Amino acid sequence: MKNAVKMCSLALLLIGMASSANAQFRQSVYLNGILPTGGFAKDVSSSQTDVPLEITEIGKDAALGIGASYRVSYRFDVGVGEVAPLVEASLFWNMIGSDWREKYGDKDYTTPTYFNVPILVGVSYFYDELWQDITPFGEFGIGADWLKITREGKKADESNGTLYYAYKGDIAMAWMIGAGAMFGRHVSVGLYYYGLGKHYVDYTDKTIDKNAKAKDYQEHRETGQEKRQERSVGELALRIGFHF
């Protein structure tokens, strides 16, 4: 965890340095279509038939999502192609699967969604010797990802009691690898994989189960009757980039 925080701090520092000297740096904006992988995409257990999912099954069954990224980089010639150190921050958003969204809607419960915020430092390599207006590239990055799962349930339900679950955000080491092509100087298309790390899902003290008060439920959780869950999070991304 400490290493992940240090990586985030380093990335933010480099972004600030780049902003103060942006005349030397290229800026890029990406639109991302994302496909979840790993435990993040795993089906909810067949024994789970109702909502809310609670801690044992939340963080699974993520649907196709969208995202956006901002990057600063500096390209320089190395004789055979070009190299570009980079700093990138992204926001990825996935809903839960449609079958579960319908179940939440039927009960008028708040539907959970998933946010990932990876901040990465890395390097790109461009080989511009093949075609005049098409430049293939490959790149790699490493850093940290923050996973946030939004609340689920409802604070007041006269028929079933109160079912309201709030989850802690968690930071983990992350990495990405990608390849694609530049078309001219200002547009690129690439396919990437983001390994967003092993995250731990846990309740916050705002969680309320049935008619218990939040404090009572927190004390119940701390006895060990409820244990945090591990989720392996990944995203396969198709990215369109705009470079300035």
Side-chain angles (χ1 to χ4, degrees):
M1 178 67 71
K2 291 182 179 179
N3 289 335
V5 173
K6 289 179 180 178
M7 290 296 295
C8 282
S9 299
L10 175 61
L12 291 173
L13 176 61
L14 291 175
I15 288 175
M17 292 170 61
S19 298
S20 65
N22 56 22
Q24 301 179 35
F25 285 78
R26 296 201 71 183
Q27 301 184 65
S28 305
V29 176
Y30 295 85
L31 301 179
N32 310 310
I34 49 178
L35 174 68
T37 66
F40 198 40
K42 185 178 180 181
D43 290 339
V44 171
S45 171
S46 59
S47 63
Q48 182 81 31
T49 59
D50 205 357
V51 294
L53 293 181
E54 305 180 41
I55 197 170
T56 56
E57 298 299 322
I58 199 69
K60 299 180 180 180
D61 201 31
L64 288 170
I66 58 174
S69 306
Y70 172 73
R71 172 186 292 187
V72 290
S73 62
Y74 178 60
R75 290 175 62 169
F76 58 91
D77 197 313
V78 291
V80 182
E82 294 182 318
V83 169
L86 64 91
V87 180
E88 178 181 296
S90 301
L91 174 64
F92 298 152
W93 174 64
N94 298 86
M95 295 186 292
I96 200 166
S98 58
D99 290 344
W100 291 103
R101 293 200 303 271
E102 290 179 5
K103 291 176 185 263
Y104 282 98
D106 290 343
K107 286 200 169 184
D108 195 27
Y109 281 173
T110 298
T111 305
T113 57
Y114 307 135
F115 291 93
N116 283 280
V117 184
I119 299 177
L120 307 171
V121 294
V123 64
S124 302
Y125 173 73
F126 299 87
Y127 187 70
D128 55 4
E129 302 293 330
L130 294 180
W131 303 284
Q132 182 176 359
D133 295 321
I134 301 177
T135 304
F137 64 82
E139 51 194 37
F140 174 79
I142 190 168
D145 174 65
W146 180 64
L147 169 67
K148 175 60 180 176
I149 301 174
T150 63
R151 67 190 185 202
E152 60 170 341
K154 195 172 184 179
K155 283 190 173 180
D157 188 322
E158 294 180 358
S159 61
N160 295 320
T162 298
L163 294 165
Y164 181 80
Y165 299 92
Y167 299 97
K168 294 179 180 179
D170 178 49
I171 295 175
M173 295 293 294
W175 58 274
M176 71 85 173
I177 188 168
M182 293 283 299
F183 297 89
R185 287 183 50 84
H186 300 293
V187 178
S188 67
V189 176
L191 185 64
Y192 292 71
Y193 181 76
Y194 284 80
L196 299 179
K198 291 184 178 179
H199 290 269
Y200 292 96
V201 180
D202 205 350
Y203 293 122
T204 73
D205 57 7
K206 294 182 179 180
T207 292
I208 307 173
D209 193 354
K210 298 299 183 185
N211 291 311
K213 295 181 180 179
K215 181 180 178 181
D216 295 336
Y217 189 76
Q218 178 73 357
E219 291 173 351
H220 169 73
R221 183 181 65 80
E222 290 174 350
T223 65
Q225 297 181 53
E226 298 286 350
K227 298 183 181 296
R228 67 179 187 168
Q229 301 288 303
E230 182 181 284
R231 298 287 182 265
S232 175
V233 180
E235 300 274 18
L236 185 64
L238 178 63
R239 313 181 73 198
I240 300 175
F242 304 92
H243 310 275
F244 311 96

